[in-house]
Amino acid sequence: VIKEKHRNNYKMFETSISENFKSMLTMESDLRKALQKEQFELHYQPQKNLLTGGIVGMEALLRWNHPEKGYIPPLDFISLAERTGLIIEIGDWVMYEACRQNKLLQGKGYDPVIVSVNLSAKQFHQKNLVTKIKNTLKETGLDPKYLELEITESMAMTNEHYILNTLQQLRELGVLVSIDDFGTGYSSLRYLSVFPVTKLKIDKTFMDASQKQNKAIVKSIIHMSHSLNMKVIAEGVETHEQIEFLREEKCDEMQGYYFSKPLPPAKLIQLLTAG
Ligand code: C2E
Ligand code: MG
Ligand code: MG
Ligand code: MG
């Protein structure tokens, strides 16, 4: 009997491995088709200036509108896209679309905002990244000062020479650079002071005030950003208390559900003011 049970368990185990493998392969081939079938969309989460209350930026966040599964969040497919290399094509699409839509908004007479685009490690390490971005800006007609690239600490803190060079070229182009999820990775303070980064994005985990040390961490990141001549934005702001605290500590900007979730372009437009 025991042997029988064992065999059944083993069978179940085997089935679940092959099912998982199958669904991964299906996902990979679906992902390949998604670009041609235009199943990707960008949603935008507005970023507010804490002093003026005006919308100064919007983060482009990728959504996959799968024909059977509905909206699939980026964290469920970005790593697969990285592993298969598809992230390059997807990333090119995101960059073009974000610049195109931002230029379109400006053409409609809204006060100009900065669009920020997330870059994955593979994208950031492309040898022709700067040329590609330059061409995208030219094709879409977007002024570089309205494009911000978000990189993560781990991407910035390896291969110092190459990164520094790439960041300098991007800054010369006039594009802005922020460090996303700041405080969750390993960054060296020396790199931070040397890299021409324009903004730090405080990771949303630090907004949790039930962890007492978080307030101290947020304070220090704000003060450090300003001493290094960078702007600072808080992510994941969900309550009024958090906003009060950020204002008191002179944080420049905020982004979070308290003000708005990421929205499709038609909904975002309703929040913008015509200038
Ligand atoms: P991220 O760049 O740190 O983006 C912020 C994430 O936090 C978004 O999740 C956003 O919806 C969520 N968020 C915003 N406000 C709040 C809040 O008040 N509370 C909470 N709990 N969450 C909030 P999303 O859209 O699921 O994106 C997840 C991650 O996927 C992003 O994290 C980014 O790393 C990655 N990602 C998204 N779009 C792209 C893309 O186009 N390219 C690349 N390479 N990665 C992307
Ligand atoms: Mg981001
Ligand atoms: Mg983030
Ligand atoms: Mg994140």
Side-chain angles (χ1 to χ4, degrees):
V1 177
I2 288 176
K3 229 180 173 175
E4 191 60 25
K5 198 173 167 222
H6 203 84
R7 197 176 295 140
N8 281 338
N9 277 346
Y10 180 72
K11 252 211 170 115
M12 265 167 62
F13 180 63
E14 212 179 22
T15 326
S16 89
I17 283 191
S18 70
E19 299 266 282
N20 276 341
F21 188 64
K22 236 174 33 205
S23 81
M24 213 183 72
L25 287 182
T26 315
M27 180 106 152
E28 185 181 334
S29 85
D30 282 0
L31 198 55
R32 284 185 194 283
K33 288 179 216 142
L35 268 171
Q36 308 153 353
K37 297 192 172 168
E38 301 180 29
Q39 291 167 358
F40 289 119
E41 288 173 27
L42 290 182
H43 286 192
Y44 294 94
Q45 187 174 37
Q47 301 170 328
K48 238 184 185 193
N49 181 301
L50 278 166
L51 212 59
T52 65
I55 296 174
V56 286
M58 54 183 188
E59 178 172 8
L61 293 158
L62 186 59
R63 301 290 180 257
W64 178 9
N65 195 354
H66 190 284
E68 287 127 39
K69 296 177 184 144
Y71 278 114
I72 304 180
L75 292 179
D76 290 357
F77 65 89
I78 293 277
S79 73
L80 179 64
E82 278 267 336
R83 270 180 279 134
T84 56
L86 276 168
I87 193 70
I88 299 295
E89 267 181 89
I90 296 174
D92 287 349
W93 180 84
V94 170
M95 186 68 68
Y96 189 89
E97 191 61 9
C99 292
R100 187 187 70 83
Q101 287 186 331
N102 199 17
K103 178 71 186 178
L104 202 69
L105 281 182
Q106 295 178 5
K108 287 184 178 165
Y110 294 102
D111 286 346
V113 297
I114 292 163
V115 67
S116 43
V117 172
N118 291 284
L119 287 191
S120 74
K122 259 209 185 120
Q123 268 181 288
F124 189 60
H125 288 96
Q126 292 174 92
K127 289 276 173 300
N128 58 350
L129 177 74
V130 180
T131 314
K132 266 187 175 178
I133 291 177
K134 201 173 169 177
N135 290 339
T136 303
L137 289 164
K138 212 162 131 193
E139 281 168 37
T140 58
L142 184 72
D143 186 325
K145 70 178 181 201
Y146 296 119
L147 175 64
E148 177 179 80
L149 306 176
E150 295 193 6
I151 61 173
T152 58
E153 284 167 287
S154 52
M155 278 151 71
M157 302 311 154
T158 53
N159 195 353
E160 182 178 359
H161 192 75
Y162 173 77
I163 304 301
L164 181 60
N165 195 264
T166 306
L167 291 178
Q168 274 166 349
Q169 288 183 51
L170 287 168
R171 290 294 298 126
E172 273 162 33
L173 205 65
V175 168
L176 305 161
V177 179
S178 66
I179 299 193
D180 200 1
D181 305 338
F182 187 78
T184 58
Y186 310 86
S187 45
S188 131
L189 297 180
R190 188 173 64 84
Y191 284 176
L192 260 193
S193 63
V194 168
F195 287 159
V197 167
T198 46
K199 192 190 279 178
L200 295 183
K201 299 193 76 177
I202 308 174
D203 190 72
K204 56 176 170 282
T205 53
F206 299 115
M207 289 304 120
D208 176 6
S210 70
Q211 298 285 93
K212 258 184 97 193
Q213 67 275 30
N214 280 349
K215 277 192 167 182
I217 294 174
V218 171
K219 266 190 197 184
S220 335
I221 299 178
I222 295 171
H223 298 163
M224 183 182 68
S225 308
H226 289 156
S227 354
L228 292 172
N229 281 319
M230 295 177 196
K231 285 199 173 166
V232 58
I233 182 169
E235 293 190 275
V237 177
E238 293 179 352
T239 68
H240 186 67
E241 290 71 45
Q242 290 167 342
I243 294 181
E244 295 282 272
F245 172 71
L246 292 166
R247 250 199 210 112
E248 236 163 72
E249 297 305 325
K250 308 269 188 304
C251 184
D252 301 299
E253 295 166 13
M254 68 95 162
Q255 167 183 355
Y257 295 167
Y258 181 79
F259 176 51
S260 171
K261 291 201 168 188
L263 302 169
K267 284 260 168 66
L268 179 100
I269 280 186
Q270 296 169 6
L271 295 177
L272 299 176
T273 47

